[in-house]
Amino acid sequence: MLRTGVQRLLTILAVLWGAATLTFIALKLIPGDPVLILSGGSNVVDDAFRATLTRQFGLDQPLWLQYVHYCARALVGNFGESYQYRQPVTEVIAAALRQTLPLALSALLLALALATLNALATAGRWPYLRNFFAGLELCLLSTPVYWLGIILLSLFSFQLHWFPVMGNDGWLSLVLPVIALSLPLTAILSQILRDGLEQALLQPFALTIRSRGAGETRLRLRHGLRHAALAASTLTGTLLANVLSGSILTETVFGRAGIGKITLQAIASRDMPLILGIVMLSALLFVVINLLVDAIYLLVDPRLRTRRL
């Protein structure tokens, strides 16, 4: 147990260090001076003011010293102050997360519910309905999220006027972004769950359960779905991290203020502390979610607990 805990801790530190290093290198390779961008250009402020900003942000230090300070702050969770917002990075990210988390979690829960219903209804039966949904899933997977968002806006906001066009005001403004973000997730989860359920229904245990007089619905819900959930749980954890860090297009299309908005602004202004905070948050999410998925494995499949013991 102790050795496993130490290994996991070292893995987390290695992932965070790698994320911080790659972010630092990428930002330094991007052409342009962040001080000039923030100050509005060389014709807006004088050289003395730009020199003051350079010293304030620590950009006058040697590159290796900037990297050392950068990694040291990142590993202890001190991301400094945003160049653009002039606020602590943690406060800026926390405010954005309060807008992004409801969108991401609602989209994932809706996708899980729709995918589960789809898999239970079409796995191993009703070939025409199964083929229809399989084709629909391929279309959704190949359709960009922003295009889905534009279609939903055109139909339900501009034509029918059922939902607001943009903004973060109330639950109505959340409906269309959640649908747009959840449809591709539903498609891929449906494929995984359906394939896993169909394989489970062909296993010997399914024949044994049927021989005991259990109905098809009970077999699918209580036994088949549990086996299919193993592969889906891994994918769900990865999708959650991707949804949280990849909501940029959805929030941009629907004009929502969240992680997507501050990410675009941070990249455009080369706001290194804010970019570092967002990247470290994404890396930490991937690590934590993978740990939770391992724990879910032990709950779903008792055989894994026996092997660990």
Side-chain angles (χ1 to χ4, degrees), residues 152-221:
L152 292 174
L153 281 175
S154 300
L155 178 60
F156 295 104
S157 294
F158 296 118
Q159 297 293 330
L160 300 177
H161 306 287
W162 288 358
F163 302 100
V165 176
M166 59 189 303
N168 297 48
D169 300 328
W171 66 270
L172 283 176
S173 64
L174 196 62
V175 173
L176 294 183
V178 167
I179 294 175
L181 194 57
S182 66
L183 287 179
L185 302 180
T186 301
I188 189 169
L189 284 173
S190 296
Q191 293 180 345
I192 299 298
L193 280 174
R194 185 190 301 112
D195 292 342
L197 187 55
E198 288 177 344
Q199 293 177 7
L201 294 177
L202 297 177
Q203 297 298 318
F205 77 86
L207 179 60
T208 303
I209 294 172
R210 289 191 181 99
S211 66
R212 294 176 180 174
E216 188 68 19
T217 302
R218 182 181 179 184
L219 171 61
R220 289 169 177 263
L221 288 175

Side-chain angles (χ1 to χ4, degrees), residues 272-296:
M272 184 179 295
L274 184 54
I275 295 176
L276 170 63
I278 295 172
V279 170
M280 296 297 283
L281 172 65
S282 301
L284 186 61
L285 280 174
F286 273 102
V287 172
V288 172
I289 289 173
N290 284 330
L291 293 177
L292 292 177
V293 168
D294 290 341
I296 292 174

Side-chain angles (χ1 to χ4, degrees), residues 288-308:
V288 172
I289 289 173
N290 284 330
L291 293 177
L292 292 177
V293 168
D294 290 341
I296 292 174
Y297 276 164
L298 299 179
L299 294 175
V300 174
D301 193 345
R303 296 172 298 179
L304 297 177
R305 295 198 293 268
T306 305
R307 293 173 187 173
R308 294 288 179 90

Side-chain angles (χ1 to χ4, degrees), residues 68-274:
V68 171
H69 291 164
Y70 175 89
C71 290
R73 291 194 303 266
L75 293 179
V76 298
N78 179 20
F79 304 112
E81 187 178 273
S82 169
Y83 296 166
Q84 183 179 8
Y85 292 92
R86 300 299 177 90
Q87 296 177 359
V89 169
T90 53
E91 294 182 5
V92 177
I93 294 179
L97 276 178
R98 284 194 288 269
Q99 302 298 331
T100 299
L101 277 177
L103 170 63
L105 294 178
S106 300
L108 186 60
L109 291 176
L110 178 61
L112 282 172
L114 293 177
T116 302
L117 292 175
N118 185 5
L120 289 173
T122 60
R125 57 183 178 183
W126 299 334
Y128 292 106
L129 184 63
R130 184 192 186 283
N131 293 335
F132 170 77
F133 277 108
L136 181 61
E137 291 157 9
L138 290 176
C139 292
L140 291 175
L141 283 175
S142 59
T143 303
V145 174
Y146 66 85
W147 197 72
L148 290 174
I150 292 173
I151 292 178
L152 292 174
L153 281 175
S154 300
L155 178 60
F156 295 104
S157 294
F158 296 118
Q159 297 293 330
L160 300 177
H161 306 287
W162 288 358
F163 302 100
V165 176
M166 59 189 303
N168 297 48
D169 300 328
W171 66 270
L172 283 176
S173 64
L174 196 62
V175 173
L176 294 183
V178 167
I179 294 175
L181 194 57
S182 66
L183 287 179
L185 302 180
T186 301
I188 189 169
L189 284 173
S190 296
Q191 293 180 345
I192 299 298
L193 280 174
R194 185 190 301 112
D195 292 342
L197 187 55
E198 288 177 344
Q199 293 177 7
L201 294 177
L202 297 177
Q203 297 298 318
F205 77 86
L207 179 60
T208 303
I209 294 172
R210 289 191 181 99
S211 66
R212 294 176 180 174
E216 188 68 19
T217 302
R218 182 181 179 184
L219 171 61
R220 289 169 177 263
L221 288 175
R222 187 171 180 179
H223 302 280
L225 193 60
R226 186 173 185 177
H227 285 260
L230 281 175
S233 60
T234 302
L235 183 62
T236 302
T238 304
L239 289 177
L240 176 58
N242 286 332
V243 166
L244 288 173
S245 60
S247 59
I248 297 177
L249 292 176
T250 304
E251 291 181 341
T252 301
V253 170
F254 291 95
R256 295 183 58 85
I259 291 293
K261 179 180 178 180
I262 66 171
T263 300
L264 288 176
Q265 292 178 346
I267 294 173
S269 61
R270 293 189 62 186
D271 192 340
M272 184 179 295
L274 184 54

